[in-house]
């Protein structure tokens, strides 16, 4: 099935995207309302939550250029050393810009 | 309803504070929004359509992916599949907040999820790991991120040429660095480190061998399985 990108068709496509995205925002919480939260389920949820970030970042670093990798490395080292997220993020971004400028 | 069910009250003052706490990162989101607005114009969307998409979808990666599929006609099922796959991480993010969200009235519970996205969720998740319950950041932080995404999209549609190359400024790394800082700022126990290693391996395996855009969910679920079998406080997996 295809939709022509006329004015009306584009509206329909945007509506479809909005509904699908909303379903992902609501769906996890909706499904969890049928689950009894045992300590084991809570432990699953907590481990999953911090793993989401790793599962986003690791492939990003893998496919990224030198700028991307050094940016993540800079942020990681700084946040572990100085424990302040904002300077760590800012210097990470600056590192990406610098490496790409020099490269 | 069970009278002993704890109730979470969203505090308006804290919602405002979280709005301003995420204001700095939102400035970068404006730059991303501008990149989207420009790309949407180039893909043939009218200004109004671009803004409407950013307003109602509010999920940058999936919006960029949709533009790749745009033409004189668009196949619906592939569009649904790609948008769902990229945004399926929201399912896990929402589920992870459930222990707090269930204490909100249903209207508020789903209301604040309208603006659930990576950055505000990452802050809430990190706070939760550190023993602080913070749903206010989902609402306040989500609103400022949403407004920034709209503002950026508007700027991109009308003044797209201003920001030709966001990559040269490192702006594509904002979210990655932000999420990494949030992850490393959380609690680190042997259990968490094992979960992270499993998540990293599983996400890379999915990235190489499974359909595109499945790696986040696969990696996160794999990390969750570690938690399922290795409970907090026990010494052995």
């Amino acid at each position: 099935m295809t939709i022509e990108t006329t004015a009306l068709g584009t509206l329909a496509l945007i509506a479809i995207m909005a509904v699908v995205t909303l379903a992902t925002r609501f769906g996890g919480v909706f499904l969890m309302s049928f689950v009894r939260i045992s300590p084991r389920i809570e432990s699953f949820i907590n481990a999953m939550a911090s793993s989401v970030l790793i599962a986003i970042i690791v492939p990003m670093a893998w496919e990224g250029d030198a700028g991307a990798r050094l940016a993540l490395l800079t942020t990681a080292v700084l946040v572990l050393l100085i424990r302040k997220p904002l300077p760590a993020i800012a210097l990470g971004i600056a590192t990406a810009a610098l490496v790409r400028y020099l490269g | 309803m069970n009278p002993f069910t704890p109730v979470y009250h969203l505090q308006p003052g804290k919602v405002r504070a979280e709005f301003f706490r995420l204001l700095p990162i939102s400035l970068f989101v404006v730059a991303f929004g501008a990149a989207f607005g420009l790309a949407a114009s180039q893909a043939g969307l009218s200004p109004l359509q671009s803004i409407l998409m950013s307003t109602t979808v509010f999920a940058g990666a999936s919006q960029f992916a949709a533009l790749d599929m745009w033409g004189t006609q668009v196949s619906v099922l592939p569009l649904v599949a790609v948008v769902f796959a990229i945004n399926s991480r929201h399912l896990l993010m929402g589920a992870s907040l459930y222990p707090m969200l269930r204490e909100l009235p249903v209207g508020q519970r789903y209301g604040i999820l309208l603006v659930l996205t990576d950055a505000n969720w990452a802050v809430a998740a990190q706070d939760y790991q550190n023993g602080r319950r913070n749903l206010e950041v989902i609402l306040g932080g989500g609103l400022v991120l949403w407004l920034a995404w709209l503002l950026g999209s508007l700027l991109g549609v009308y003044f797209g040429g201003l920001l030709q190359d966001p990559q040269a400024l490192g702006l594509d790394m904002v979210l990655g660095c932000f999420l990494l800082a949030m992850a490393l700022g959380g609690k680190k126990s042997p259990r968490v480190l094992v979960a992270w290693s499993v998540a990293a391996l599983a996400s890379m395996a999915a990235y190489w061998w499974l359909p595109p855009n499945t790696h986040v969910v696969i990696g996160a679920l794999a990390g969750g399985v570690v938690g399922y079998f290795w409970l907090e406080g026990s010494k052995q997996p």
Side-chain angles (χ1 to χ4, degrees), chain A residues 78-90:
Chain A
L78 285 177
V79 88
L80 291 174
L81 283 180
I82 60 178
R83 307 204 148 270
K84 287 192 170 54
L86 269 183
I89 296 163

Side-chain angles (χ1 to χ4, degrees), chain A residues 40-95:
Chain A
R40 205 171 269 284
I41 293 295
E42 197 157 353
S43 176
F44 173 84
I45 289 174
N46 289 336
M48 178 189 80
S50 62
S51 298
V52 168
L53 299 172
I54 300 301
I56 293 174
I57 293 161
V58 170
M60 184 190 276
W62 187 274
E63 71 177 329
D65 61 348
R69 290 177 190 178
L70 285 171
L72 292 170
L73 185 67
T74 305
T75 298
V77 170
L78 285 177
V79 88
L80 291 174
L81 283 180
I82 60 178
R83 307 204 148 270
K84 287 192 170 54
L86 269 183
I89 296 163
L91 285 167
I93 295 160
T95 303

Side-chain angles (χ1 to χ4, degrees), chain B residues 8 53 57 85-86 92 109 112 129 134 151 173 218 236:
Chain B
Y8 194 111
M53 189 190 285
V57 180
I86 294 177
L92 307 183
R109 186 188 305 168
I112 68 172
Q129 300 268 317
N134 186 358
L151 176 65
M173 293 314 296
I218 300 284
Q236 298 293 320

Side-chain angles (χ1 to χ4, degrees), chain A residues 3 5 25 40 43 63 100, chain B residues 58 71 116 167 172 227-228:
Chain A
I3 292 181
T5 46
R25 289 202 163 96
R40 205 171 269 284
S43 176
E63 71 177 329
R100 287 169 185 164
Chain B
F58 180 44
L116 174 74
Q167 286 214 354
D172 56 319
Y228 185 84

Side-chain angles (χ1 to χ4, degrees), chain B residues 35-60:
Chain B
F36 172 77
L38 177 63
S41 302
Q42 289 167 347
L45 274 83
S46 74
L48 194 63
Q49 290 165 345
S50 309
I51 305 302
L52 189 66
M53 189 190 285
S54 285
T55 310
T56 59
V57 180
F58 180 44

Side-chain angles (χ1 to χ4, degrees), chain B residues 30-31 33-35 37-38 51 150-162:
Chain B
V30 173
L38 177 63
I51 305 302
L150 292 195
L151 176 65
S153 301
L154 265 170
L155 292 174
V157 163
Y158 290 107
F159 312 101
L162 286 182

